[in-house]
Amino acid sequence: MKNRHVVSEIPEGLRKCFGQKLQAAARTNSGQWLAASFGELRVWSPEAGADPSAELGGQTIESANAFPTAESGNSTELESSLHIYPWVDFARGTYRGETAQLQLSFIDPAREPLLFELAPEQAAILVPAILERVDDSIVYQEFAQLVSGEVVSAQMRRRADGTLFAQVPWYMAHTSGDRAILAALEYSVKEAVGE
């Protein structure tokens, strides 16, 4: 991914906190910080009802080194407020400009999608990077129809470390026929990439 999504206004402390090379970062309308790196989405949220500047020891989050890091002695706040989501956990991302909402849907349908409201200028920075990272984690994909008639997909995904793995919706297997179709689909996607 090119660095076209990185903006110079990202606080230095934020870059340090999120560790990996950032490709884009932006603050949501609710005060969360979202950061896209090569391997994952990192979300920092102030504790519910907390003032972000109070949680950061009275400094504003925009100040250059105010973002909590383990080195700054604020690791407790950081650990309770930082959530890390590998790109391979997401099935897709969508952005609706009319509602200014970014939605990230998980592969696991039992997990509620992540929803973020972004100002247009923040969306312009972050949304292209996030959608690109989700798409780029999918190396190969095939579809099949189950006995029930439902269409499913299996994918070969790339983790941040470069390793590949098959992502198969086994939770959709309700019959032995479904399991056989999914097993064949898994074999096919692995074979397509030489695994």
Side-chain angles (χ1 to χ4, degrees), residues 27-139:
R27 194 170 187 182
T28 68
N29 292 352
S30 64
Q32 295 171 302
W33 273 99
L34 308 181
S37 68
F38 177 75
E40 61 206 15
L41 173 69
R42 291 183 172 219
V43 179
W44 183 82
S45 303
E47 303 236 353
D51 173 9
S53 62
E55 187 165 343
L56 298 172
Q59 299 175 333
T60 63
I61 201 165
E62 287 83 6
S63 64
N65 293 302
F67 209 81
T69 64
E71 295 80 31
S72 70
N74 291 328
S75 59
T76 303
E77 292 92 341
L78 173 63
E79 290 168 8
S80 67
S81 303
L82 182 64
H83 301 278
I84 301 171
Y85 304 95
W87 298 119
V88 296
D89 285 357
F90 296 112
R92 70 188 157 284
T94 55
Y95 178 73
R96 291 182 172 73
E98 65 275 4
T99 60
Q101 272 198 339
L102 170 66
Q103 178 176 323
L104 295 168
S105 300
F106 289 99
I107 290 291
D108 179 356
R111 294 178 75 179
E112 289 292 319
L114 299 179
L115 295 172
F116 305 103
E117 190 175 312
L118 298 165
E121 63 275 7
Q122 300 298 351
I125 294 166
L126 195 59
V127 170
I130 287 177
L131 298 181
E132 189 173 283
R133 294 307 328 141
V134 171
D135 287 347
D136 283 355
S137 73
I138 301 170
V139 175

Side-chain angles (χ1 to χ4, degrees), residues 13 16 35 37 57 63 71 127 134 146 153 155 174-175 193:
K16 289 179 183 176
S37 68
S63 64
E71 295 80 31
V127 170
V134 171
L146 298 179
S153 71
Q155 305 165 342
H174 301 295
T175 67
V193 297

Side-chain angles (χ1 to χ4, degrees), residues 166-184:
Q167 205 166 50
V168 181
W170 290 104
Y171 60 87
M172 298 288 292
H174 301 295
T175 67
S176 60
D178 289 344
R179 285 187 286 282
I181 290 168
L182 289 173

Side-chain angles (χ1 to χ4, degrees), residues 136-188:
D136 283 355
S137 73
I138 301 170
V139 175
Y140 182 75
Q141 179 172 290
E142 284 186 22
F143 297 88
Q145 187 171 7
L146 298 179
V147 175
S148 65
E150 289 190 70
V151 176
V152 296
S153 71
Q155 305 165 342
M156 289 302 293
R157 303 288 296 258
R158 185 182 322 278
R159 293 184 182 96
D161 66 3
T163 59
L164 298 178
F165 72 100
Q167 205 166 50
V168 181
W170 290 104
Y171 60 87
M172 298 288 292
H174 301 295
T175 67
S176 60
D178 289 344
R179 285 187 286 282
I181 290 168
L182 289 173
L185 191 57
E186 179 178 29
Y187 177 81
S188 181

